[in-house]
Amino acid sequence: MLATRSIAEDILQLKRDRGAVILAHLYQEPEIQELADVVGDSLELARKAHDFSGEVIVFCGVWFMAETAKVLNPTRTVVVPDRDASCSLVECCTAEQVRAFKKRYPEHVIVSYINTSVEVKAESDILCTSRNAVAVVNSIPMDKPVLFLPDINLGNYVKTQTGRENMMIWQGTCIVHATFPARRVSKARSEHPDALVVAHPECPPDVLRMADFIGSTSAIIDWCVKSEADEFIVMTESGVRHMLEKRAPGKQFYFVANENCNCSECPYMKMNTLEKLHECLRTLQPRVELSAEVMARALKPIERMLAVK
Ligand code: 13P
Ligand code: SF4
């Protein structure tokens, strides 16, 4: 195995040779974030992928994010460090299930979270991310019934924020956020009485009720940076610690362990390593390859989302 320093140098050289851009989600390991050209939440990275005019997009995140990049910029080569980096939300909602729902409830507008497969996106009317979900649902005329899929916690949060009654919600969950126990948030609050609570909307309602701020990964970071407070209990994946400490040096961030792993790490996001990043730049594999038909159908709901202000 190469020493870490030379892997990093090799990656940067390969990146130049390939005309590549490295996009990294905020849940990636710090050493990957440090090598990336852009680090952001899923909406920011989708926009960057859309605007990229070079040859190769290396997507350090999870597979559905790389698929979205390919749909938005189909003439680029899109590669990932690990093809198996999936997402529990993607796994709990198939295109067949969505087609069956549409047959039964043809009048519903299908609002799909970006954490879905490209095939589910192709069955959807409009997409959303955690950053714009409320605005996306508000963009749909009030008299139209909605199906929000697949995250039950984000769906319930959006329902509360929009006051929308005619909204059905899928029963999917994120294995990281949905297993944060409210009792551990209460304990963290008693240990750190001056800390404010910030949470991703994939957390359960009892956790969200304790939050001083709810938002996407980037929105959480921006809010903590701007806040006058010095301490925060952070209810999202622990990869955000790197950017929080970089952008808000001197502030304290406390992470609460979930029930699954006694940590707050996404096992899918953490499948990516520097070695795998190096290998995918060298071989340009694993590569996202999608049929023109599914890309054309998935593009429409993504573009509708990007048009929502
Ligand atoms: P963001 O859209 O906030 O980046 O969230 C993506 C995600 O997978 C959250 O678990
Ligand atoms: Fe999916 Fe949850 Fe991991 Fe985000 S944190 S990629 S929603 S499993």
Coordinates of all heavy atoms in Angstrom, one line a residue, residues 25-27 40-43 45 62 64-65 87 89 113-115 129-131 174 176-177 200-202 215-219 236-237 266 269, ligand 1:
H25 N -19.3 14.6 -0.7 CA -20.4 14.9 0.3 C -19.8 15.2 1.6 O -18.7 14.7 2.0 CB -21.4 13.8 0.4 CG -22.6 14.2 1.1 ND1 -22.8 13.9 2.5 CD2 -23.8 14.8 0.7 CE1 -24.0 14.4 2.9 NE2 -24.6 14.9 1.8
L26 N -20.5 16.0 2.4 CA -20.0 16.4 3.7 C -19.9 15.2 4.7 O -19.3 15.4 5.8 CB -20.9 17.5 4.3 CG -20.7 18.8 3.7 CD1 -22.0 19.7 3.7 CD2 -19.6 19.6 4.4
Y27 N -20.4 14.1 4.4 CA -20.2 12.9 5.3 C -19.0 12.1 4.9 O -18.7 11.0 5.5 CB -21.4 11.9 5.1 CG -22.8 12.5 5.6 CD1 -23.9 11.9 5.2 CD2 -22.9 13.6 6.4 CE1 -25.2 12.3 5.6 CE2 -24.1 14.1 6.8 CZ -25.3 13.4 6.4 OH -26.5 13.9 6.8
G40 N -20.0 19.5 -0.3 CA -21.3 20.1 -0.1 C -22.4 19.1 0.2 O -22.2 17.9 0.4
D41 N -23.6 19.6 0.3 CA -24.8 18.8 0.5 C -25.3 18.2 -0.8 O -24.7 18.6 -1.9 CB -25.9 19.5 1.3 CG -26.6 20.6 0.6 OD1 -26.4 20.7 -0.6 OD2 -27.3 21.4 1.3
S42 N -26.3 17.4 -0.8 CA -26.7 16.7 -2.1 C -27.1 17.7 -3.1 O -26.9 17.5 -4.3 CB -27.7 15.6 -1.8 OG -28.8 16.1 -1.1
L43 N -27.8 18.8 -2.7 CA -28.3 19.8 -3.7 C -27.1 20.5 -4.3 O -27.0 20.7 -5.6 CB -29.3 20.7 -3.1 CG -29.9 21.7 -4.1 CD1 -30.7 21.0 -5.2 CD2 -30.9 22.7 -3.4
L45 N -24.0 19.6 -4.6 CA -23.2 18.7 -5.5 C -23.9 18.4 -6.8 O -23.3 18.4 -7.9 CB -22.9 17.4 -4.7 CG -22.0 17.6 -3.5 CD1 -21.8 16.3 -2.8 CD2 -20.7 18.3 -3.8
V62 N -22.6 8.7 -2.2 CA -23.3 7.4 -2.4 C -23.8 7.3 -3.8 O -23.9 8.3 -4.5 CB -24.3 7.1 -1.3 CG1 -23.7 6.8 0.0 CG2 -25.3 8.2 -1.2
F64 N -26.6 6.9 -5.4 CA -27.7 7.7 -6.0 C -27.3 9.1 -6.4 O -27.8 9.7 -7.3 CB -29.0 7.7 -5.1 CG -28.9 8.6 -3.9 CD1 -29.1 10.0 -4.0 CD2 -28.6 8.1 -2.7 CE1 -29.0 10.8 -2.9 CE2 -28.5 9.0 -1.6 CZ -28.7 10.3 -1.7
M65 N -26.3 9.6 -5.7 CA -25.8 11.0 -6.0 C -25.0 11.0 -7.3 O -25.1 11.9 -8.1 CB -24.9 11.4 -4.8 CG -25.6 11.6 -3.5 SD -24.5 12.1 -2.2 CE -25.6 12.3 -0.8
C87 N -27.7 3.4 0.1 CA -28.4 4.2 1.1 C -29.6 3.5 1.5 O -30.3 2.9 0.6 CB -28.8 5.6 0.4 SG -29.9 6.5 1.3
L89 N -32.4 4.5 2.4 CA -33.7 5.0 1.8 C -33.9 4.5 0.4 O -35.0 4.2 0.0 CB -33.6 6.6 1.8 CG -33.8 7.2 3.2 CD1 -33.4 8.7 3.2 CD2 -35.2 7.0 3.7
Y113 N -37.7 12.2 -2.7 CA -36.5 12.7 -2.2 C -35.3 12.2 -3.1 O -35.4 11.2 -3.7 CB -36.3 12.0 -0.8 CG -35.3 12.5 0.2 CD1 -34.8 13.8 0.1 CD2 -34.8 11.7 1.1 CE1 -33.8 14.3 1.0 CE2 -33.8 12.1 2.1 CZ -33.3 13.4 2.0 OH -32.4 13.9 2.9
I114 N -34.3 13.0 -3.2 CA -33.2 12.7 -4.1 C -32.5 11.3 -3.7 O -31.9 10.7 -4.5 CB -32.1 13.8 -4.1 CG1 -31.2 13.7 -5.3 CG2 -31.4 13.9 -2.8 CD1 -30.5 15.0 -5.6
N115 N -32.7 10.9 -2.4 CA -32.2 9.6 -2.0 C -33.1 8.5 -2.5 O -33.8 7.8 -1.7 CB -32.2 9.6 -0.4 CG -31.3 10.6 0.2 OD1 -31.2 11.7 -0.3 ND2 -30.5 10.2 1.2
T129 N -34.6 17.8 -2.1 CA -33.6 17.4 -1.2 C -34.0 17.9 0.2 O -35.0 18.6 0.3 CB -32.2 18.0 -1.6 OG1 -32.2 19.3 -1.2 CG2 -31.8 17.8 -3.0
S130 N -33.2 17.6 1.2 CA -33.5 18.1 2.5 C -33.5 19.6 2.5 O -34.2 20.3 3.3 CB -32.6 17.5 3.6 OG -31.3 17.9 3.2
R131 N -32.7 20.2 1.6 CA -32.6 21.7 1.6 C -33.8 22.4 1.0 O -34.2 23.5 1.5 CB -31.4 22.1 0.7 CG -31.1 23.5 0.7 CD -29.9 23.8 -0.2 NE -28.7 23.7 0.6 CZ -28.0 24.8 1.0 NH1 -28.4 26.0 0.7 NH2 -26.9 24.7 1.7
C174 N -33.8 6.5 7.2 CA -32.4 6.4 7.1 C -31.9 5.7 8.4 O -32.2 6.0 9.5 CB -31.9 7.9 7.2 SG -30.1 8.0 7.7
V176 N -29.2 5.9 9.8 CA -28.4 6.7 10.7 C -29.3 7.6 11.5 O -29.3 7.6 12.8 CB -27.3 7.5 9.9 CG1 -26.5 8.4 10.9 CG2 -26.5 6.6 9.1
H177 N -30.0 8.5 10.8 CA -30.8 9.5 11.5 C -32.0 9.0 12.3 O -32.3 9.5 13.3 CB -31.2 10.6 10.5 CG -30.1 11.3 9.9 ND1 -29.4 10.9 8.8 CD2 -29.5 12.5 10.3 CE1 -28.5 11.8 8.5 NE2 -28.5 12.8 9.4
H200 N -30.7 17.2 11.3 CA -31.1 17.0 9.9 C -32.6 16.5 10.0 O -33.0 15.7 10.9 CB -30.2 15.9 9.4 CG -30.3 15.8 7.9 ND1 -31.3 15.1 7.2 CD2 -29.5 16.3 6.9 CE1 -31.1 15.2 5.9 NE2 -30.0 15.9 5.7
P201 N -33.4 16.9 9.0 CA -34.8 16.5 9.1 C -35.1 15.0 8.9 O -36.3 14.6 9.0 CB -35.5 17.4 7.9 CG -34.4 17.7 7.0 CD -33.1 17.8 7.9
E202 N -34.1 14.2 8.6 CA -34.3 12.7 8.6 C -34.4 12.2 10.0 O -34.7 11.0 10.2 CB -33.2 12.0 7.9 CG -33.2 12.3 6.4 CD -31.9 11.8 5.7 OE1 -31.2 11.0 6.3 OE2 -31.7 12.1 4.5
G215 N -32.1 21.5 9.3 CA -31.7 21.8 7.9 C -30.9 20.8 7.3 O -30.5 19.8 8.0
S216 N -30.5 21.0 6.1 CA -29.6 20.1 5.3 C -28.2 20.1 6.0 O -27.9 21.0 6.8 CB -29.5 20.5 3.9 OG -28.7 21.6 3.7
T217 N -27.4 19.2 5.5 CA -26.0 19.2 6.1 C -25.3 20.6 5.9 O -24.7 21.1 6.9 CB -25.2 18.1 5.4 OG1 -25.3 18.2 4.0 CG2 -25.7 16.7 5.8
S218 N -25.4 21.1 4.8 CA -24.7 22.5 4.6 C -25.4 23.5 5.4 O -24.8 24.4 5.9 CB -24.8 22.9 3.1 OG -23.8 22.2 2.3
A219 N -26.7 23.5 5.4 CA -27.5 24.5 6.2 C -27.1 24.4 7.6 O -27.0 25.5 8.3 CB -29.0 24.3 5.9
T236 N -26.7 14.8 13.2 CA -26.5 14.3 11.8 C -25.2 13.4 11.8 O -24.6 13.2 12.8 CB -26.5 15.4 10.8 OG1 -26.6 14.8 9.5 CG2 -25.3 16.3 10.8
E237 N -24.9 13.0 10.6 CA -23.7 12.1 10.5 C -22.4 12.9 10.9 O -22.2 14.0 10.5 CB -23.7 11.7 9.0 CG -23.1 10.3 8.8 CD -21.6 10.2 8.5 OE1 -21.0 11.3 8.5 OE2 -21.1 9.1 8.3
C266 N -22.4 7.0 8.8 CA -23.2 6.3 7.7 C -22.3 5.2 7.1 O -21.2 5.5 6.6 CB -23.6 7.2 6.6 SG -24.3 6.3 5.2
M269 N -21.6 5.8 3.3 CA -20.7 6.9 3.0 C -19.2 6.5 3.4 O -18.3 6.9 2.7 CB -21.1 8.1 3.8 CG -22.4 8.8 3.3 SD -22.0 9.8 1.9 CE -23.6 10.5 1.6
Ligands
13P1 P1 -28.1 16.4 2.4 O1 -29.1 16.7 1.3 O2 -28.4 17.3 3.6 O3 -26.7 16.4 1.9 O4 -28.4 14.9 3.0 C1 -28.1 13.8 2.3 C2 -28.2 12.6 3.1 O5 -28.0 11.5 2.7 C3 -28.6 12.8 4.5 O6 -28.5 11.6 5.2

